[in-house]
Amino acid sequence: MKKLVAFTFMASFILSAFGCGNKQKTEGAESGKETTGKVLVAYFSATGTTAAAAKTVAEATEGDLFEIQPVKAYSDADLNWNDKRSRSTVEMKDKKARPEVASKVEDMNQYDIIFLGYPIWWYTAPRIINTFLEQYDLSGKRVILFATSGGSGFENSLTDLQPSAPGAKMEEGRLLNGAPSLEEVKAWTDGCF
């Protein structure tokens, strides 16, 4: 019981200590005028964990939800990080890998703020996130990262993703592990506006 209480406390601390409402890592375009324009919540989820977090973020922000889907879905074998020949391992070893996405956001210009979610793979974002970003001109838009992880943090995500979205103001947001409540996520996202 003590471990559960300690874990819950730490999860709440992590959710409240970092992100939009507090000092954080930011790269890219200068913040300039803050905007409260239309919100997109785009996410990639290989197992469903990040999808659940993204749905909560979309509800909290009243944003539109968009799933980044690969043309070829990842199988369990593809996701086996212990196999050096698995699809995900091969992609993550090649910084130039760009897995093809199945569809695009129809009118990206209508969005000012993009919450971008993904699972952490090898201490960074999966390469399909780079593919997604490189499809659009995101100049002047805020891109706020959120992620799910089995144990690591954002690590290299911000620096690995920024070159794929030149001119965007990219922000390290939150790890949304352990199914945070709508109220917890809303407290975080409200600090982003």
Side-chain angles (χ1 to χ4, degrees), residues 15-43:
L15 278 171
S16 65
F18 302 99
C20 296
N22 301 301
K23 190 173 183 176
Q24 64 190 1
K25 291 183 184 177
T26 302
E27 289 194 9
E30 294 303 314
S31 61
K33 180 181 169 190
E34 291 300 317
T35 179
T36 56
K38 195 163 182 186
V39 173
L40 174 68
V41 179
Y43 71 94

Side-chain angles (χ1 to χ4, degrees), residues 7 12 19 44 51 59 94 106 127 137 148 160 169 179 185 191:
F7 176 77
S12 295
F44 165 69
E59 186 176 352
D94 180 2
E106 285 192 32
R127 302 290 182 229
D137 177 2
T148 56
D160 288 349
K169 179 187 176 200
V185 172

